[in-house]
Amino acid sequence: MSRGLMLLATVAGAVLAAVPAAAQDGDVVLGRWRTSAQNGVVVIERCGASLCGRLIDAAALRTNPDQRDVRNRNAALRDRPLQGVLVLQAFSGGPQEWSGGPLYDPETGQGAPTGTLKLVSADRLAVRGCIAPLLCRTQTWTRLR
């Protein structure tokens, strides 16, 4: 190999090694989000190959950090701690919209089997839960920095 070609190969290898791997499609939505209900905070993170979201703060938790999931329709789950409750599960897709479910609203104790997450802007996320094709509810969450 000529000296020039070897130098080019070395420089190209160094440049490629310095470029970070492309972010996975869900990474743009990872982080902490302020919900529109109860001034709550949900952290969206990777759970295996999909995305999930856990409640980490809310007005009820600031009043009583040991708050339980008392509104849950499933009586067997009403004694579980509200902090850390999974509110979004099994979302995939991206880079601007994800689908999955179930979703859970601890304020009402209701869930939705399916839903979507749509990145409206870098700091706004439309969270939509549907109990049937035409029976949906949407909240807009704001990114916390």
Side-chain angles (χ1 to χ4, degrees):
M1 188 184 300
S2 75
R3 191 170 202 192
L5 201 53
M6 192 176 338
L7 179 60
L8 180 62
T10 303
V11 170
V15 168
L16 289 175
V19 174
Q24 293 182 346
D25 283 340
D27 290 351
V28 304
V29 77
L30 299 181
R32 297 178 327 134
W33 294 87
R34 170 112 22 232
T35 69
S36 58
Q38 293 288 317
N39 210 15
V41 177
V42 170
V43 63
I44 297 178
E45 56 197 2
R46 287 214 165 273
C47 294
S50 62
L51 301 178
C52 65
R54 294 184 184 281
L55 180 68
I56 60 170
D57 191 24
L61 290 172
R62 287 186 290 281
T63 302
N64 175 10
D66 194 39
Q67 178 71 38
R68 301 296 165 157
D69 192 11
V70 295
R71 292 190 176 105
N72 198 306
R73 291 190 174 196
N74 181 343
L77 297 176
R78 291 182 187 151
D79 195 41
R80 70 181 176 174
L82 196 55
Q83 188 166 26
V85 162
L86 208 53
V87 295
L88 304 171
Q89 295 181 52
F91 278 82
S92 60
Q96 298 299 312
E97 192 165 332
W98 298 262
S99 60
L103 294 84
Y104 176 65
D105 179 358
E107 183 180 7
T108 64
Q110 297 178 354
T114 63
T116 59
L117 306 175
K118 184 175 182 179
L119 200 58
V120 177
S121 70
D123 293 325
R124 289 188 30 198
L125 182 68
V127 179
R128 183 176 182 95
C130 300
I131 58 173
L134 298 175
L135 295 174
C136 301
R137 184 176 68 163
T138 302
Q139 287 186 357
T140 300
W141 295 0
T142 306
R143 186 184 301 275
L144 292 175
R145 300 262 180 204

